[in-house]
Amino acid sequence: MNHPLHVGVLALQGDVREHLEALLRLGVDAVPVRRPAEIAAADGLIIPGGESTTMIKLARNFDLLDPLRDRIAAGLPTFGTCAGMILLADRIIDGTADQTTLGGLDITVRRNAFGRQTDSFETDLALTGLDTPVHAVFIRAPWVESVGPAVEVLGRVPDRADLGPAAGRIVAVRQGALMATSFHPEVGADGRVHELFLDLIRTR
Ligand code: GLN
């Protein structure tokens, strides 16, 4: 690719501005997207954190379900964070009765998994591709209950007894052009997780 990367942030609901700012700090062309033509023009897409049930309903209302599913299936590099991870998951535990997803990632997510113990949770964790741990902020976050054979696990909650049922849980994954984290890399000034996604776009 010899033009500056053009990365869309799905702008239906949630942490849109924070992702745009994180991308702009990395020097790429970052734009909010909510129309099929805008999605078609993007080199990569971020689906932010927020509320997955609201976001999927808005995607349906905006006639974006098929355009998003088609682009994702056709290989659009896409990074889902928190609610965005839920939207990319093929299967949800503890979703609402009628909750659907965009799908693409062969994972089962447990929605509000950390929320049972505490609404938000922070820890440092090691991530494949980063030299030093990243500070991960989880806000009513899902974790990944199980992954299919094509999924690469990029990160887990440290496996420490004091972390209770969260210990060792999968919280970052990649499958082909799709990447997802349970935590919010747009919080704080560490741009390295976004940079991993930009690398993924550049190598497609
Ligand atoms: N609990 C939210 C959901 O189910 C996700 C929370 C978040 O994205 N911060 O969609």
Side-chain angles (χ1 to χ4, degrees):
M1 243 170 254
N2 45 21
H3 59 275
L5 283 187
H6 179 73
V7 182
V9 179
L10 186 65
L12 298 173
Q13 189 263 339
D15 302 338
V16 178
R17 185 172 48 84
E18 291 82 353
H19 275 291
L20 290 170
E21 286 170 1
L23 290 168
L24 290 170
R25 280 197 296 271
L26 296 174
V28 299
D29 178 18
V31 287
V33 296
R34 56 177 77 79
R35 294 194 183 84
E38 293 165 341
I39 294 164
D43 296 318
L45 179 70
I46 291 184
I47 306 181
E51 176 51 51
S52 56
T53 54
T54 307
M55 228 183 288
I56 199 83
K57 275 186 204 143
L58 289 170
R60 185 175 294 116
N61 294 347
F62 279 67
D63 288 324
L64 284 178
L65 286 185
D66 287 339
L68 284 168
R69 285 181 177 139
D70 292 350
R71 281 287 280 148
I72 290 168
L76 175 68
T78 305
F79 178 22
T81 64
C82 201
M85 169 190 262
I86 298 173
L87 262 73
L88 286 179
D90 284 343
R91 295 166 298 277
I92 314 177
I93 299 171
D94 289 346
T96 57
D98 59 347
Q99 187 167 357
T100 55
T101 70
L102 300 170
L105 275 179
D106 185 11
I107 60 174
T108 302
V109 292
R110 182 177 292 278
R111 195 166 155 251
N112 297 334
F114 296 88
R116 277 193 222 93
Q117 313 154 62
T118 165
D119 267 358
S120 92
F121 163 75
E122 301 186 17
T123 188
D124 290 344
L125 56 87
L127 215 57
T128 303
L130 299 186
D131 297 342
T132 57
V134 68
H135 186 68
V137 177
F138 299 85
I139 305 166
R140 290 184 62 74
W143 64 47
V144 180
E145 195 86 11
S146 60
V147 302
V151 177
E152 183 190 357
V153 173
L154 300 178
R156 296 175 181 264
V157 173
D159 200 3
R160 290 198 331 247
D162 63 303
L163 298 177
R169 294 289 178 175
I170 299 168
V171 291
V173 293
R174 176 181 168 186
Q175 178 183 355
L178 306 182
M179 176 176 153
T181 61
S182 304
F183 56 88
H184 288 261
E186 76 284 8
V187 171
D190 186 349
R192 291 179 300 158
V193 182
H194 284 85
E195 194 64 69
L196 286 180
F197 178 56
L198 299 183
D199 287 346
L200 193 158
I201 300 175
R202 290 188 190 104
T203 56
R204 299 311 292 175

